[in-house]
Amino acid sequence: MTSASAKPRSGFWPARAATMALLFCSGFLYATWGVHVPTVKAMFDLNDASLSVAMFAIAGGAIVTMSRMARWIGRAGSQRASLVSGMALAVTSAFILSMPNYWGLVGWLALYGAANATYDVAVNAQAATLEARYRKPIMASLHGCFSLGGMSGALVGGAWLAHQGSPQWHIGLAAMGCAVVMVVGARFMQPDMLPGEAPVASSAAASSDDSPRKAVPPPALDDVSRRKLHRRLTGFGILAFLGLVVEGAMYDWTAVYMREVVAAQGAWIGAGYAAFSLGMAGGRFGGDPVRARMGGARLLRVSSLLCVGGVMLALVWREPAAAVAGFALAGLGLSNVMPVMFAASGEVARGAGMASAEAIAVMARLAYLGLLVGPVLIGAIAHGISLPVALAAGLLCIVPIALLAPKMLAGADGRTAQH
């Protein structure tokens, strides 16, 4: 049996709702910062190059600290780490617009990136714990809450600015509100699963005392096994990287494509971005039962084909409605790449005796580079040739996902969640 300190203090549904709320806050705060990128540019009179340096500071802070913070999360537990890093995220968000000069802003954004990455790994480690303890796939719907939080943050921020509200008050109130949600939500999260801890015996056991069954702990993770596990997690990270290259390109270039290639007018210009975002959110909220039924590997193969078909529709049929429909299908196809990879990372880590947080960080550190590389890669090809050719070339990143996912996800594709 688990120790008293590791025994869940809440049931599955309260912990799931809490984790959904914390990921919603993550998306909300990230979108709130995104709304104020033009505010920062105007405050410090930045050119595009200086603004890019500031934006890269966020990614730099995340990448540099992710592996080290993951080891701390493994020691502290995802419940405590979610609360502590959540408070750090709220504080760094609240004071972004209070920096006295440009280099102070760059340093603060690096801290914001580090806090955001730590929070992301901690909350996803909690999600991996819930999937493992109750054998119910939930990762996709949790990431759907992140997408929903992002859309909500953008809408609230846009409305605030439209009414000439103070940017400092807006970002401060958003951070304060999310901090309250994080404090309350963390109370319902569960301790991470111990090595060898088995899932709850049945739904009846889950509803009574959530007592997991005793199991034999996995063997100690020696250096050879650790290197082998790191190679497999790196493989997951490469697949996730490829998916995020295309996702980042879609987020940054759909509006440009609609305006310059499709010659869309008015609201149609932003409709491609909105359709892609809605496809992402819809696919994530509906992805868990599909993964439970067909497994993560097959889901990624089908989703990859859907993404390719959607982008090709937008490229070939250059009418606003057709392009919007194509971008919606592309979002639907890309929506489950990251949830499947997060879940698979946690699954193989538990089987080998590694903390879920450490495994997720190994995968995510490589994966999130895709969000940086994607827009830059597409922009370079678009500048040298054309935007349609660039978007078509981006689809080459999807093919390896479809081809390699079945082999790489063997034994970690989530199908056991049905048992």
Side-chain angles (χ1 to χ4, degrees), residues 350-363:
R350 281 186 300 275
M354 175 186 281
S356 295
E358 184 177 352
I360 286 172
V362 171
M363 183 277 296

Side-chain angles (χ1 to χ4, degrees), residues 224-259:
V224 174
S225 299
R226 179 175 289 274
R227 285 195 296 270
K228 183 177 180 181
L229 179 58
H230 269 257
R231 285 196 296 270
R232 189 174 188 190
L233 292 169
T234 299
F236 292 169
I238 291 172
L239 293 187
F241 168 87
L242 294 173
L244 286 183
V245 165
V246 181
E247 183 178 335
M250 291 292 106
Y251 277 127
D252 281 25
W253 288 98
T254 50
V256 178
Y257 180 83
M258 293 294 292
R259 183 180 67 248

